[in-house]
Amino acid sequence: MRYEIRVDGHLSETLAKAFPELDHVVMSGQTVLFGPVLDEAHLYGLLARCQSLGLRVVEMRQLPE
C-alpha cells in the first residue's frame, strides 16, 4: 500500500529525517509525506510519530498502486 500524509507547514530537513521510509515534498504551505506503508501497525506508527513531533495532520489517504 502507498499512502500520502499531508501535514501543516514546512518540515525542516531534520524533521523529515524522522520519516526515513517516506519521501516528502513541500507545496502550498504543507508538507506531503508519501510512500509505502507495510500494514496498519506501520500506518498507526507513522501517525503516532507525527503526533509526538507536534505535527498537525491535515489529510491522509491511500494512493492507487
Side-chain angles (χ1 to χ4, degrees), residues 2-63:
R2 292 179 46 81
Y3 271 83
E4 174 182 286
I5 302 171
R6 290 180 177 264
V7 297
D8 200 21
H10 298 262
L11 255 62
S12 66
E13 285 302 315
T14 303
L15 275 178
K17 287 180 183 177
F19 302 93
E21 67 271 63
L22 300 177
D23 292 317
H24 70 283
V25 64
V26 176
M27 61 173 70
S28 303
Q30 297 177 340
T31 300
V32 182
L33 302 164
F34 58 95
V37 175
L38 302 176
D39 55 22
E40 195 172 285
H42 185 205
L43 180 60
Y44 283 117
L46 291 169
L47 293 175
R49 217 178 306 165
C50 287
Q51 183 179 25
S52 70
L53 293 169
L55 302 175
R56 184 173 160 265
V57 175
V58 177
E59 181 183 4
M60 178 189 75
R61 65 185 176 128
Q62 187 174 354
L63 299 172

